[in-house]
């Protein structure tokens, strides 16, 4: 039913039997991956996501979970591992299509409509055209959501942004009904940018910012 709905929306969609088969495909050429957590074979959805995010070639490919697992721990684990969205079954097809469009829109719109195409801070270089992040000359894979958040924080360096503002930049057009998403993605982003993670500061009541120093 989901496959038929995706194709009816005009997407070129296909189904594979499990993670092992998926990992044989050129996943870097895909616009979006949708996975259950419980999969046939030895690799579950969590491990599939980890493998995709650990590979620099596929690290920027968005993945969303569509699963019967609905506990808070399941959701937080999926988001911490790098999932771009998490929808639990049963679900309405209208909601699912809206979530798919939202993830694809974020992935396409990672290039903000601003003048500067490259943002540099010491050995950190963020190119908004190629959607690449380099730290000490090494490529760092970011999800579309992480890229949008880091771009916002770097463009407004030494400024603080409330969760609502960050949510609006990273999840455009979506209702601000889960502030925890901001915290989880920023926590994940801090780990990915290594030593620069300490520059992302959260000041109680004021919000998050990428700071050169305490301001």
């Amino acid at each position: 039913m989901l496959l038929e709905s995706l194709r009816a929306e005009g997407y070129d969609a296909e189904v594979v039997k499990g993670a092992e088969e998926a990992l044989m495909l050129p996943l870097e050429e895909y616009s979006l991956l949708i996975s259950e957590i419980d999969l046939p074979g030895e690799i579950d959805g969590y491990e599939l996501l980890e493998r995709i995010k650990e590979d620099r070639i596929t690290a920027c490919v968005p993945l969303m979970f569509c699963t019967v697992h609905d506990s808070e721990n399941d959701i937080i684990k999926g988001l911490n591992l790098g999932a771009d969205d998490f929808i639990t079954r049963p679900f309405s097809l209208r909601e699912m299509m809206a979530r798919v469009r939202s993830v694809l829109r974020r992935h396409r719109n990672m290039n903000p409509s601003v003048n500067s195409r490259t943002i540099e801070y010491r050995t950190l270089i963020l190119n908004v055209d190629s959607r690449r992040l380099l730290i000490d000359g090494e490529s760092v894979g970011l999800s579309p959501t992480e890229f949008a958040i880091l771009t916002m924080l770097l463009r407004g360096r030494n400024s603080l942004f409330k969760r609502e503002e960050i949510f609006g930049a990273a999840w455009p057009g979506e209702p601000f009904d889960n502030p925890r998403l901001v915290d989880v993605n920023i926590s994940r982003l801090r780990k990915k940018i290594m030593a620069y993670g300490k520059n992302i500061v959260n000041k109680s009541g004021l919000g998050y910012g990428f700071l050169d120093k305490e301001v």
Side-chain angles (χ1 to χ4, degrees):
M1 190 181 298
L2 178 56
L3 178 64
E4 292 174 357
S5 296
L6 288 165
R7 288 176 172 171
E9 290 276 330
Y11 298 117
D12 183 10
E14 62 180 304
V15 174
V16 297
K17 295 179 181 178
E20 288 85 353
E21 186 175 341
L23 290 169
M24 298 293 290
L25 299 172
L27 297 180
E28 69 276 7
E29 298 178 6
Y30 286 71
S31 300
L32 173 64
L33 308 176
I34 302 173
S35 178
E36 171 60 91
I37 291 173
D38 294 327
L39 297 174
E42 298 182 358
I43 303 176
D44 66 9
Y46 289 136
E47 185 177 346
L48 172 64
L49 176 58
E50 286 183 294
R51 293 194 185 194
I52 290 169
K53 296 305 178 183
E54 287 170 357
D55 188 332
R56 290 180 183 174
I57 297 176
T58 58
C60 293
V61 178
L63 182 147
M64 63 186 297
F65 281 123
C66 174
T67 176
V68 294
H69 292 265
D70 59 359
S71 74
E72 182 180 16
N73 287 339
D74 290 322
I75 296 170
I76 296 302
K77 180 177 180 179
L79 294 173
N80 277 330
L81 289 175
D84 290 85
D85 204 348
F86 197 110
I87 185 169
T88 57
R89 292 163 33 195
F91 57 84
S92 74
L93 285 173
R94 288 184 61 191
E95 180 187 3
M96 184 65 187
M97 291 302 104
R99 298 282 196 97
V100 167
R101 286 192 292 270
S102 177
V103 173
L104 291 173
R105 184 169 60 246
R106 294 202 304 271
H107 189 62
R108 287 194 299 266
N109 293 344
M110 287 193 301
N111 186 2
S113 56
V114 290
N115 293 328
S116 176
R117 295 184 177 183
T118 301
I119 310 169
E120 298 186 23
Y121 178 77
R122 297 178 184 171
T123 62
L124 185 155
I125 302 174
L126 188 75
N127 189 301
V128 297
D129 283 333
S130 65
R131 302 174 182 177
R132 292 188 66 200
L133 171 64
L134 296 177
I135 296 179
D136 297 325
E138 295 290 327
S139 179
V140 178
L142 298 180
S143 72
T145 302
E146 294 161 355
F147 190 96
I149 292 173
L150 183 59
T151 300
M152 180 182 193
L153 297 181
L154 284 173
R155 290 215 181 279
R157 201 164 80 230
N158 291 327
S159 298
L160 296 172
F161 299 92
K162 293 186 178 298
R163 285 182 176 85
E164 294 91 332
E165 296 176 283
I166 297 172
F167 191 94
W171 291 270
E174 294 191 27
F176 181 59
D177 55 6
N178 192 353
R180 187 78 179 274
L181 281 175
V182 174
D183 301 325
V184 169
N185 278 273
I186 287 181
S187 175
R188 203 167 65 203
L189 177 60
R190 279 175 170 149
K191 294 176 182 177
K192 287 190 175 183
I193 62 176
M194 298 172 287
Y196 292 106
K198 68 180 186 300
N199 293 91
I200 299 181
V201 174
N202 180 20
K203 291 186 173 290
S204 180
L206 298 175
Y208 286 99
F210 190 101
L211 309 184
D212 293 336
K213 56 185 179 180
E214 294 295 310
V215 295

